[in-house]
């Protein structure tokens, strides 16, 4: 891809793609979490 060796293309394009997917999944899974910080202080 773009004249790069396959391993380099996987690192350059694969890791950012993995990180974007990881972030989206994390945000979708944690959007319903209740903010319970401060409950212990009361």
């Amino acid at each position: 891809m773009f004249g790069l060796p396959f391993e380099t293309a996987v690192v350059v394009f694969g890791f950012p793609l993995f990180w974007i997917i990881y972030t989206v999944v994390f945000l979708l899974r944690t959007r319903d979490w209740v903010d319970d910080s401060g409950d212990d202080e009361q």
Side-chain angles (χ1 to χ4, degrees), residues 10-34:
V10 168
V11 170
V12 170
F13 297 105
F15 184 75
L17 182 63
F18 164 77
W19 195 253
I20 291 169
I21 293 171
Y22 178 87
T23 303
V24 169
V25 170
F26 175 81
L27 291 175
L28 289 175
R29 289 186 51 109
T30 60
R31 65 182 174 182
D32 295 329
W33 283 7
V34 177

